[in-house]
Amino acid sequence: MTTTPPRSSAAPVLRLSLLYGAALFAAIAVIGSVVGALVSELPGLLSALIGAGMGFVFLAVTAASILLADRITKGDLLSPVFFALVLGAWLLKFVVFLVLVFTLREASFVDPVVLFVTLVIAVLGGLVTDLVAVSRGRVPYVSDITLPGPSER
């Protein structure tokens, strides 16, 4: 008899968040690149695409790190490994964000205003997609337990 490893009840919600986030960031990339191109030609277009890409990567790293940590720790949310993976991913996101901001600040192919506006819209949109995913996700009130069967009572 094979048993599947326990999964956190948050896994379907995180997958839904990734799906909603991908759709939203694709829309942000398309609309932002058109508006950016109208405002600042090629630098505006590239800035909007970079901003939307950064927004999606940061959303995806958060969800993926929680899913990976859940899989590695086999659902033990109190494991130090779980916290190390999630906090390590957050620290990596922070360092990458700072490197990108300081690198792109000096780049000639970037319009800083378009990049900033796109990033703000992407971050706010990511928060909304997380909110929608959590509100639509069907998470049981009593999660992560197995009830005894009729023969075990």
Side-chain angles (χ1 to χ4, degrees):
M1 178 170 150
T2 62
T3 61
T4 60
R7 264 186 7 178
S8 168
S9 59
V13 173
L14 290 169
R15 287 191 188 96
L16 193 61
S17 174
L18 282 171
L19 181 68
Y20 289 164
L24 176 76
F25 289 115
I28 289 174
V30 170
I31 294 168
S33 62
V34 169
V35 172
L38 291 174
V39 169
S40 185
E41 298 177 347
L42 183 61
L45 182 135
L46 293 175
S47 299
L49 291 175
I50 290 170
M54 284 173 63
F56 179 71
V57 166
F58 293 144
L59 173 98
V61 166
T62 299
S65 69
I66 295 171
L67 288 170
L68 177 69
D70 182 53
R71 180 169 294 201
I72 288 175
T73 61
K74 295 181 178 44
D76 183 13
L77 300 179
L78 299 178
S79 167
V81 175
F82 183 88
F83 286 105
L85 287 170
V86 173
L87 291 176
W90 181 86
L91 197 60
L92 177 69
K93 278 189 341 183
F94 183 67
V95 169
V96 168
F97 176 77
L98 289 177
V99 167
L100 284 173
V101 165
F102 289 123
T103 303
L104 293 174
R105 180 177 59 174
E106 310 277 328
S108 62
F109 61 88
V110 170
D111 182 338
V113 174
V114 174
L115 178 63
F116 175 76
V117 170
T118 307
L119 262 174
V120 168
I121 291 170
V123 167
L124 293 176
L127 293 173
V128 170
T129 58
D130 285 344
L131 177 71
V132 170
V134 168
S135 67
R136 290 188 178 175
R138 302 195 70 174
V139 179
Y141 283 58
V142 183
S143 62
D144 305 333
I145 65 165
T146 305
L147 296 175
S151 64
E152 298 172 0
R153 291 183 193 168

